[in-house]
Structures are given as structure tokens and as C-alpha cells.
Amino acid sequence: MTSLHLMVGLPCSGKTTLARQLETKYSAIRLTPDEWHIRVFGHDFGDNMTEADELKHDSRHDAVESLMWEVASRVLILGVDVILDFGCWVRSQRDEFRSRANNLGVEFKIHFLDVPEEVLLERLEARNVMNQGETFFIPKAKLKEWMQIFEPPSPEELETSVDLTNEERELPYQ
């Protein structure tokens, strides 16, 4: 059966690395907002942003994710798995995608990457140094702020999730 795979976790948790692997494993289409956002709008996130800059970035990012959902829903209807590499930091977002999957008559799977704070911060430092062009520079203070608002999936939510192997849980950040 066709599935909507939702990547859940904070930046630097390894979501995109795992999403790339799942893309091959399931012959799926992977939709990663940062890649599209950067190609269309450039690197508009980073240090020394004003509140207006952040609002503009967030508005653009929302538009990218909305467009990606339009593509995803059509692809799912055509019978191809979709991997949404969105992060979905709060339960309400995950519930919304679960409902959308249900409305389309497809399975819904959460791939949750639970990574300790110290590992996230180490990976962030490496990511910011090597910035390969497909990811945003993220200030350390911003990641710490996001850690405070992140709501890990509950056991109830994960009942429909894929049981990640230890190998998948310990993916190196790339």
C-alpha cells in the first residue's frame, strides 16, 4: 500500500540523511523544503536576522511546504510513496498530516529521530562549517530555542511509525 512517510526531528538529527535512504528503499519521492527554498529564494536565514527577516523567511518556507504538499498528494494518489522531510516539531502538525494521509486512503508512517542535545549541537557546528549549499546556516541559539518548542511524538503517535533499526537511529550527520 502507498505510504506517506513523515520525518520527525530537530535540525541536525539526521532526517534528510535517513530520508535519502528511505527514498531508495521505498522507490519514493523525497520532498525536503530546505533544498527547494534555497534554490528559489537563496540562503535567507542565519545570523543577525531581524524579526522582519525571520518572518519573510518563514512565509517563504510555508509557501514551499504548501507547494510540496500539492505535489505529494498527487504523487500519493498515483500510488507512489512520499517522504516529507518537514521535521513536524509539534503534534498538531503530525496529526494534520495523519489526517491528510487518511483522507487520501494511504498509510501514514512516522520516522522519528531522537537525538541528544549534545549530539545535535556537535552536528550543528559541523553542518555550519561545511555548509554544502543545500542547508541553511543555523545559529546555535536558534537551535536551542527550537529544542524548547519541540514536542517528541508520544507512544500513541508512534504506534503507526516504523520501528527504526539501531543502524538507522545512529546515522552519522552528513
Side-chain angles (χ1 to χ4, degrees):
M1 178 175 218
T2 306
S3 296
L4 173 60
H5 300 263
L6 190 65
M7 306 307 295
V8 175
L10 286 161
C12 302
S13 62
K15 291 184 310 297
T16 302
T17 300
L18 178 57
R20 287 182 176 131
Q21 293 174 352
L22 296 174
E23 176 181 30
T24 300
K25 179 178 180 178
Y26 295 109
S27 296
I29 184 170
R30 174 183 55 88
L31 300 172
T32 301
D34 289 4
E35 294 170 2
W36 287 33
H37 185 123
I38 290 168
R39 286 196 66 189
V40 174
F41 301 110
H43 287 269
D44 65 349
F45 192 88
D47 277 329
N48 304 317
M49 291 178 66
T50 65
E51 188 173 325
D53 293 336
E54 214 169 318
L55 288 171
K56 185 175 184 179
H57 167 85
D58 290 347
S59 174
R60 290 172 167 178
H61 213 72
D62 290 346
V64 167
E65 287 185 355
S66 178
L67 178 61
M68 286 182 149
W69 175 251
E70 289 179 29
V71 171
S73 62
R74 180 66 182 140
V75 169
L76 287 163
I77 289 168
L78 292 172
V80 177
D81 280 17
V82 171
I83 299 163
L84 290 184
D85 187 11
F86 284 17
C88 291
W89 298 346
V90 295
R91 181 172 183 149
S92 61
Q93 294 169 323
R94 298 185 294 268
D95 287 346
E96 174 65 24
F97 283 111
R98 179 180 283 108
S99 176
R100 290 178 183 187
N102 187 50
N103 289 341
L104 292 174
V106 300
E107 289 185 355
F108 178 78
K109 298 178 181 179
I110 290 177
H111 300 269
F112 173 47
L113 289 104
D114 188 15
V115 178
E117 179 178 345
E118 60 274 4
V119 174
L120 290 174
L121 294 172
E122 287 171 13
R123 289 177 179 178
L124 176 67
E125 187 175 327
R127 169 188 169 144
N128 284 343
V129 168
M130 70 177 181
N131 198 337
Q132 300 172 357
E134 293 182 344
T135 60
F136 290 104
F137 176 90
I138 299 174
K140 183 178 179 180
K142 193 49 90 173
L143 180 57
K144 286 188 169 225
E145 177 185 320
W146 294 337
M147 287 177 189
Q148 299 305 309
I149 61 173
F150 182 72
E151 298 173 4
S154 67
E156 171 190 291
E157 284 183 90
L158 294 175
E159 286 177 5
T160 61
S161 72
V162 174
D163 184 23
L164 299 179
T165 66
N166 285 336
E167 182 178 298
E168 288 173 327
R169 289 182 197 279
E170 298 172 5
L171 284 171
Y173 178 74
Q174 296 177 353

